[in-house]
Amino acid sequence: MKKVLLIGLYICFFTNINADSIRFTKQQMLEDFDFLYEKIRTVNPHLGVRYEVTGTDILAKIKNNRKSIDTVSSESSYYDIIAKTFLLCQDGHTNLILYYPDKYTDTSYINQAIKTSQEFKKKYFKYSPYSSLKVFYINGEYFFPDIFDNENVLQIPKKAKLLKINGIDIDEYVEKWNVPIHPSVRWDQNRKKYYTLTIFPPSITGLDEKFLITYSYGQEIKEIELTSFRIKYPQGKGSRDIRVNYFDKDKILYIRVPAMDASKIDHYKQEIEKHKGKEISKVLIDVRSNGGGNDLTWKEILASIIKDTINIPQKLCFKDSHVVKQLLDKQEIPIAENTPLIIGQDSLFCITGYREIIPSNNSILHNGNIYVIINESCYSSTLAFSSACKTVSKLITIGTPTGILGGEGIRPFYFVLPNSKLIFSIASSLDGNVQGNDVENYYHDDIEIPIYPDLDYYCTEFEYKDEFYDEYFLYNIDPVFKTILKLE
């Protein structure tokens, strides 16, 4: 049974909200904005890398947002300015959030901030994936799954290629209109351009109320106006299941890790230990579509597999500012010995060390290769795992790059806007453990064995009704698993 998401209803909901009168003075809004700008400027260590790689001056774009406060007449428009400011940062760790994990002396103050943040998000946030159009990005081009309207009438057939939106070439539309408000902006290192995996309609981007799509299908080029749209997403049966399977015919131990969930560590260890003593030619750790969590998860999984201790070099880099040093001191992270780093206009200091992963008492003592399967939907701790693999010869990444700035890091820093009491986080560290002088290496997005699935596979995966990542799927459908089978 397919789950249908009524995209058009979300758009109607957000556009029909009655705007509340603003509870803040212009001076208070400017104070909030300047507080936010200063925290991003002095804390976020990614800005210099993004500018050098993409040419985008994020701080300049944020500063340009400040003048929009002159036109604010409602809480919804004020919130939109703040939301857009975070979206310009192109990083899910620099964002408005609905909790405050740090200890704070005034509990009532934080409780009020949490309540305020939840209210604002519920009422006013309109840049949800459910308001956007799903696309497949393949070889620098965009293709559609089946696109229906709210009456369940097919509007655009699957595999149609997206050419233009409202007469604007799709690459230009993505960079100028989609990227500034998109919660998951990606960078194509090969083609030197931005891309995203969903497209917001012109009514959300602010371009126009009409939504005109030009696409090619077969030998024809067509233009259609979408007045509503919805996409039939499959349930993805089994995609979030934990699996530890041994495939006897190829002597493969397959470990499916859908999330870096530390509460599942004992389960992984127990299941892996069941295969101790078996002949194992290859170990596969499949972290596709794993959005992250706790680094301890992948470290303990490795400890249950390896024969010899792994030493992973660390080089965590931080913005060289007083506020960062204060926050690190509160977390008891020593910064007395550090290595300076200059990236563009950013000055950072770096803390070096090693992560040691020691085989557990019941490790299966595998001494061969461990293949770590990545796809474009990995994030956070999972990208730290991917980055760590590059420093260990027997940990081999295989799959599809994410287009996201990844690498190892510590958790974000957390703040509260002084007047509106909105809670937000800012990415705190940059993984400086790179080889060579190419600034693109700080993205940590290269895969040792890259696999770029074709359009047929993406459509099959998108519509798949049976069990994901079971033996049949891996051996008969999955192009990455098939590639690993052929590797010596």
Side-chain angles (χ1 to χ4, degrees):
M1 180 177 180
K2 293 184 176 181
K3 177 173 60 178
V4 178
L5 298 178
L6 299 179
I7 309 298
L9 293 183
Y10 283 91
I11 297 173
C12 292
F13 171 78
F14 284 114
T15 55
N16 288 331
I17 291 175
N18 292 322
D20 297 329
S21 58
I22 189 72
R23 289 177 288 179
F24 314 110
T25 66
K26 180 179 177 181
Q27 183 59 35
Q28 287 176 317
M29 289 186 284
L30 289 172
E31 285 175 1
D32 272 10
F33 188 90
D34 292 342
F35 179 89
L36 172 57
Y37 175 85
E38 192 62 14
K39 289 295 182 286
I40 293 173
R41 186 186 71 83
T42 58
V43 174
N44 192 318
H46 300 163
L47 302 178
V49 171
R50 294 189 188 281
Y51 179 75
E52 294 297 312
V53 171
T54 70
T56 302
D57 189 338
I58 289 174
L59 279 178
K61 288 181 176 293
I62 291 174
K63 185 178 287 187
N64 192 52
N65 261 5
R66 190 179 192 270
K67 62 187 179 184
S68 300
I69 292 177
D70 289 336
T71 64
V72 168
S73 59
S74 65
E75 284 191 352
S76 60
S77 55
Y78 167 64
Y79 182 87
D80 200 50
I81 292 170
I82 298 299
K84 285 180 177 177
T85 298
F86 283 105
L87 292 170
L88 284 171
C89 293
Q90 304 179 8
D91 183 6
H93 288 139
T94 301
N95 210 346
L96 289 164
I97 57 175
L98 305 181
Y99 58 93
Y100 193 88
D102 290 340
K103 293 180 180 179
Y104 201 88
T105 54
D106 189 346
T107 304
S108 62
Y109 177 86
I110 291 303
N111 287 340
Q112 182 58 50
I114 291 172
K115 181 179 178 181
T116 300
S117 298
Q118 290 173 342
E119 288 175 350
F120 268 65
K121 185 72 176 284
K122 182 178 180 180
K123 285 183 178 181
Y124 303 127
F125 189 74
K126 61 184 180 183
Y127 305 110
S128 163
Y130 300 124
S131 302
S132 59
L133 203 58
K134 170 66 181 175
V135 289
F136 307 124
Y137 181 77
I138 301 172
N139 296 326
E141 298 179 314
Y142 296 91
F143 299 87
F144 288 111
D146 284 328
I147 306 296
F148 301 85
D149 64 13
N150 284 348
E151 304 301 320
N152 204 34
V153 177
L154 182 66
Q155 298 295 303
I156 302 173
K158 68 179 179 183
K159 299 187 180 181
K161 181 164 71 172
L162 174 56
L163 302 176
K164 297 180 181 180
I165 293 180
N166 285 34
I168 302 172
D169 178 80
I170 186 55
D171 282 339
E172 181 183 348
Y173 182 87
V174 166
E175 180 163 354
K176 185 176 180 180
W177 296 99
N178 204 47
V179 163
I181 62 168
H182 204 282
S184 184
V185 174
R186 301 161 188 270
W187 179 254
D188 187 330
Q189 303 278 26
N190 294 324
R191 297 170 181 83
K192 311 301 180 189
K193 68 177 183 178
Y194 285 114
Y195 70 100
T196 57
L197 302 182
T198 62
I199 306 289
F200 283 107
S203 60
I204 298 292
T205 67
L207 172 63
D208 200 330
E209 288 304 311
K210 284 189 174 183
F211 191 5
L212 302 175
I213 289 181
T214 305
Y215 67 90
S216 64
Y217 186 70
Q219 301 301 313
E220 295 183 292
I221 294 178
K222 297 182 178 181
E223 183 179 77
I224 186 172
E225 179 178 357
L226 286 184
T227 55
S228 65
F229 61 89
R230 66 177 181 175
I231 301 169
K232 297 180 180 178
Y233 286 91
Q235 291 183 343
K237 187 170 60 177
S239 61
R240 307 304 299 168
D241 291 350
I242 291 173
R243 299 178 187 272
V244 180
N245 299 129
Y246 180 75
F247 302 131
D248 185 73
K249 61 182 176 180
D250 292 298
K251 313 303 179 191
I252 287 176
L253 181 63
Y254 172 81
I255 304 166
R256 169 69 183 149
V257 186
M260 295 302 174
D261 184 351
S263 70
K264 305 298 184 184
I265 288 174
D266 286 344
H267 175 75
Y268 282 113
K269 294 173 74 171
Q270 292 165 8
E271 291 300 307
I272 292 169
E273 288 165 9
K274 290 178 181 178
H275 303 286
K276 190 172 185 178
K278 292 180 180 178
E279 180 186 352
I280 297 175
S281 62
K282 299 168 186 172
V283 173
L284 280 57
I285 303 177
D286 188 345
V287 294
R288 282 176 287 191
S289 301
N290 183 323
N294 193 324
D295 285 3
L296 187 62
T297 307
W298 58 263
K299 290 170 62 178
E300 289 296 318
I301 289 173
L302 285 178
S304 297
I305 298 170
I306 58 177
K307 180 180 180 182
D308 300 313
T309 296
I310 293 175
N311 287 303
I312 301 171
Q314 289 180 299
K315 186 177 180 181
L316 295 179
C317 304
F318 302 85
K319 209 68 172 285
D320 193 358
S321 69
H322 178 67
V323 64
V324 168
K325 291 176 180 177
Q326 275 189 324
L327 290 166
L328 290 176
D329 183 60
K330 286 182 179 180
Q331 296 184 30
E332 299 181 348
I333 297 176
I335 58 175
E337 296 181 13
N338 61 74
T339 305
L341 176 67
I342 303 296
I343 301 178
Q345 299 299 310
D346 278 358
S347 175
L348 304 101
F349 63 88
C350 304
I351 303 173
T352 58
Y354 283 90
R355 280 187 175 188
E356 186 179 61
I357 303 178
I358 301 171
S360 65
N361 292 335
N362 290 316
S363 170
I364 62 174
L365 303 177
H366 178 67
N367 197 35
N369 289 337
I370 300 173
Y371 294 92
V372 178
I373 307 176
I374 308 290
N375 73 353
E376 61 270 26
S377 297
C378 294
Y379 188 59
S380 195
S381 173
T382 310
L383 298 186
F385 182 25
S386 173
S387 175
C389 290
K390 299 171 191 174
T391 66
V392 182
S393 61
K394 291 183 179 180
L395 295 180
I396 301 170
T397 55
I398 181 168
T400 309
T402 66
I404 294 172
L405 195 156
E408 184 190 348
I410 65 170
R411 72 174 194 173
F413 295 144
Y414 301 91
F415 306 92
V416 180
L417 291 178
N419 296 303
S420 59
K421 302 298 186 290
L422 297 176
I423 305 172
F424 64 96
S425 62
I426 297 182
S428 56
S429 56
L430 173 73
D431 189 341
N433 190 22
V434 300
Q435 300 294 323
N437 298 319
D438 192 339
V439 72
E440 286 186 347
N441 292 336
Y442 287 98
Y443 268 67
H444 297 276
D445 193 40
D446 53 312
I447 304 292
E448 189 166 349
I449 305 176
I451 305 291
Y452 296 95
D454 59 20
L455 181 56
D456 285 339
Y457 173 76
Y458 277 116
C459 288
T460 299
E461 181 189 61
F462 190 74
E463 298 176 345
Y464 198 63
K465 298 177 182 178
D466 296 318
E467 195 83 5
F468 276 93
Y469 307 121
D470 65 359
E471 186 171 359
Y472 179 85
F473 177 89
L474 294 171
Y475 273 92
N476 295 279
I477 296 174
D478 184 7
V480 181
F481 188 87
K482 290 179 180 180
T483 299
I484 295 173
L485 287 177
K486 299 174 184 176
L487 298 175
E488 295 296 331

